[in-house]
Amino acid sequence: MAEGVTAGGGAGTLDRAPAGRAGRDVRRRLAARGRRLLGRARARAAERALPAVAAAVYAAYSLLRLHTFRASSYDLVIFDQAVRSYSGFGPPVAIVKGVHNGFGPSFSVLGDHFSPILAVLAPLYWIHDGPGTLLVAQAALFAAAIVPIWRYTARRLGAAAAYCASAAYALSWPVAEALAFDFHEVAFVPLLSALLVERHDAGRRGQAAAVAALLLLVKEDMGLLLAGFGLYLLTLPGERRSGAAHIAVGLVATWGASRFLIPAFGGDDDYYWAYGALGPDLPSAAAHAATHPWDAVALLGDPPAKLLTLLLLAAPLLLLPLASPLTLAAVPLLAERMLATGFENWWQARYHYNAFVIAILVLAAVDGAVRLRRRLRAARRGPRALPAAALLVAAAVTVPFFAFGDLADPSLYRRNARAQAAAAAAAHVPSGALVEAANNIGPALSARARVLLLDRWPRSAPWVVADVERLTFPFRSVHDQRVRVEGLLHLGYREVFRREGYVVLHHPGYPPTGNFGRPSNTSG
């Protein structure tokens, strides 16, 4: 009996032991799975946090510039008037652009640049009608490019590298300079170009094709980016047919938009022709470049500011894009600017033009780092995140030298005496009025008045706000600005305000419609 109990107890112990081990194994597997899920959740949270922080900083910076009168009619008011027209289910008319550049007060900005994608911003004006809406939207779009950059980098170099590469993009000087120059259609390009590369890299070819189609709606020359991406595809095994298709579609789209769509909306198909050193039109310029290639090469460094801009693009990325064929995607857009002899803004480091290629170049830097790790034994010795960390350090070093350096300027956060005077001057203009405004005053009036750019030609607007102390676009000198005000006084305008160089004039006898018969002698 006792043996039976002992035997029974022993058998029960032996039966329970495997069950206990199995239970511990299950608990370990569940704990490991839980840790993996928690790790993924943390990674997703971090992936979302960086774009959110970037968007908040970008929006705050842009709105502070607007508040302190650092924004400008050219180009913020142009886009504000156009998107406001879209929000009322009309064509994207920008009276400030049409009148100043001689196209007339009913000019559609689709005749300037073919950017129908701007229509997607119109519903935001039903929530808040004003230029600040565009600045916040642009901040969100620039920040959203972080997501595809993060995912592309994480697949190739891991999560740590993804954080570094994404932050390097977020701090990059092309993004900073674009934010410092109001709003432009380029806001859509970093996101869409990064998505194009990332979705193709992920094997989602249909999604990549949809993104490519959206890019063609951003601006007429986005076909060049598509063609450049086709050049990149030609370097990949099995992608030659796809690459050729991207090149053909991109070139045809750019040619068709420039040659037919822009003129159809009242524009001039050679308004932005800036290649007179090569020929008077595209066929002659292409023939000249083919028969005299050194002439084209020489233009890449004339003036030297072009080479400086190219160096500033490559150096903070540690020249890593030079190791990646993905850089080919940016080459046509860069050539479009660097071969030009007119519109000198195109090749400078300032303004928004470099933001068209920055996302592509950051991804090319990541790809270049991966390729170097494969080829060079020394490159494989360090951590995988090391190249991306170096990109982040280089981007941080550039911050004080470009527009984000303004974040350390106390005058960005409080209106100084000049900005207070500008606000007081704008307040004298009644809502609904037609006003010729100095370039930095227009954004403060655009939400509640019909704004024209104050230029050399009188427009017979009842209200004028001028700056007679500091040079402002499109005048060549402060003296010219003062002469303009004196001429208006001779025409019967009455001065109603003057402070810190700002002057407000009113002519009660002029009709609210004004006179738009004479174009300016400048282009913007």
Side-chain angles (χ1 to χ4, degrees):
M1 185 72 178
E3 292 178 358
V5 172
T6 302
T13 301
L14 293 173
D15 287 343
R16 287 193 297 270
R21 285 196 297 271
R24 287 194 296 273
D25 290 342
V26 170
R27 286 194 295 272
R28 280 196 295 268
R29 287 195 295 269
L30 289 175
R33 183 179 180 185
R35 287 192 295 270
R36 287 195 299 270
L37 291 175
L38 181 60
R40 291 173 185 171
R42 287 175 176 172
R44 285 195 296 269
E47 179 186 349
R48 294 167 183 168
L50 185 55
V53 171
V57 173
Y58 293 168
Y61 173 65
S62 300
L63 292 174
L64 284 168
R65 292 188 74 260
L66 178 65
H67 178 70
T68 53
F69 289 84
R70 301 186 185 198
S72 55
S73 293
Y74 263 57
D75 293 331
L76 183 55
V77 172
I78 295 173
F79 288 100
D80 177 57
Q81 291 177 344
V83 177
R84 180 174 295 108
S85 295
Y86 270 136
S87 71
F89 301 99
V93 172
I95 187 175
V96 65
K97 176 72 176 182
V99 170
H100 174 65
N101 290 115
F103 293 105
S106 300
F107 179 66
S108 165
V109 296
L110 291 172
D112 184 41
H113 293 299
F114 185 69
S115 305
I117 200 168
L118 293 173
V120 305
L121 301 177
L124 299 178
Y125 270 57
W126 304 339
I127 301 171
H128 181 270
D129 185 344
T133 300
L134 292 182
L135 299 178
V136 173
Q138 177 172 253
L141 287 167
F142 274 141
I146 290 172
V147 175
I149 291 173
W150 193 97
R151 292 178 178 175
Y152 178 90
T153 308
R155 277 199 302 269
R156 290 168 168 258
L157 292 173
Y163 296 131
C164 293
S166 301
Y169 159 80
L171 293 175
S172 65
W173 68 262
V175 172
E177 293 300 320
L179 290 168
F181 189 30
D182 306 330
F183 172 91
H184 291 87
E185 66 283 311
V186 70
F188 293 90
V189 177
L191 171 61
L192 293 178
S193 60
L195 276 173
L196 174 65
V197 175
E198 189 275 330
R199 289 291 81 193
H200 188 277
D201 182 69
R204 302 298 181 90
R205 306 303 166 80
Q207 294 177 4
V211 172
L214 289 176
L215 266 172
L216 296 178
L217 302 179
V218 174
K219 197 178 177 186
E220 66 278 1
D221 60 355
M222 285 300 96
L224 298 180
L225 192 154
L226 203 59
F229 186 68
L231 292 175
Y232 162 66
L233 293 181
L234 291 180
T235 69
L236 304 181
E239 295 286 356
R240 290 186 177 180
R241 182 176 297 179
S242 176
H246 278 79
I247 293 171
V249 171
L251 294 179
V252 169
T254 290
W255 176 76
S258 302
R259 182 68 178 83
F260 299 107
L261 294 178
I262 286 177
F265 287 100
D268 186 344
D269 62 350
D270 64 354
Y271 187 81
Y272 288 106
W273 180 254
Y275 311 95
L278 296 175
D281 51 36
L282 181 58
S284 59
H288 185 99
T291 56
H292 301 82
W294 287 113
D295 288 351
V297 173
L299 287 175
L300 297 176
D302 184 18
K306 295 178 179 179
L307 296 178
L308 176 60
T309 296
L310 293 174
L311 178 62
L312 289 172
L313 284 170
L317 297 175
L318 308 179
L319 305 184
L320 288 172
L322 299 180
S324 170
L326 181 55
T327 302
L328 291 170
V331 167
L333 282 178
L334 290 172
E336 177 192 27
R337 295 165 51 205
M338 301 306 164
L339 290 174
T341 54
F343 300 103
E344 64 181 31
N345 292 351
W346 289 5
W347 57 74
Q348 294 182 17
R350 292 182 58 200
Y351 308 110
H352 59 292
Y353 300 105
N354 297 291
F356 282 99
V357 296
I358 186 58
I360 291 287
L361 293 179
V362 170
L363 295 177
V366 171
D367 184 55
V370 172
R371 291 171 183 269
L372 289 176
R373 284 182 64 86
R374 292 173 184 166
R375 296 172 185 171
L376 302 177
R377 181 178 300 177
R380 292 193 292 271
R381 292 175 183 171
R384 287 199 303 166
L386 183 59
L391 292 178
L392 176 55
V393 171
V397 168
T398 67
V399 167
F401 302 99
F402 292 94
F404 283 156
D406 292 343
L407 291 169
D409 182 0
S411 66
L412 179 66
Y413 303 93
R414 292 185 61 184
R415 288 176 173 171
N416 57 21
R418 278 269 300 172
Q420 292 174 12
H428 276 74
V429 179
S431 296
L434 178 69
V435 54
E436 296 177 61
N439 194 36
N440 68 315
I441 299 293
L445 293 166
S446 186
R448 61 180 185 84
R450 299 174 65 215
V451 175
L452 303 175
L453 180 68
L454 180 65
D455 54 29
R456 64 174 296 191
W457 296 112
R459 310 294 182 182
S460 299
W463 291 89
V464 174
V465 183
D467 186 348
V468 295
E469 185 173 298
R470 293 187 183 177
L471 181 64
T472 182
F473 176 84
F475 292 95
R476 296 186 177 94
S477 68
V478 174
H479 173 73
D480 289 345
Q481 294 165 210
R482 293 170 179 166
V483 169
R484 178 76 165 86
V485 170
E486 292 170 3
L488 291 171
L489 292 173
H490 285 301
L491 291 174
Y493 279 85
R494 179 171 56 90
E495 183 179 308
V496 298
F497 175 87
R498 181 183 288 263
R499 188 200 306 171
E500 295 287 338
Y502 290 106
V503 179
V504 180
L505 306 177
H506 177 51
H507 196 305
Y510 281 167
T513 55
N515 172 28
F516 310 124
R518 304 184 74 178
S520 170
N521 67 326
T522 63
S523 61

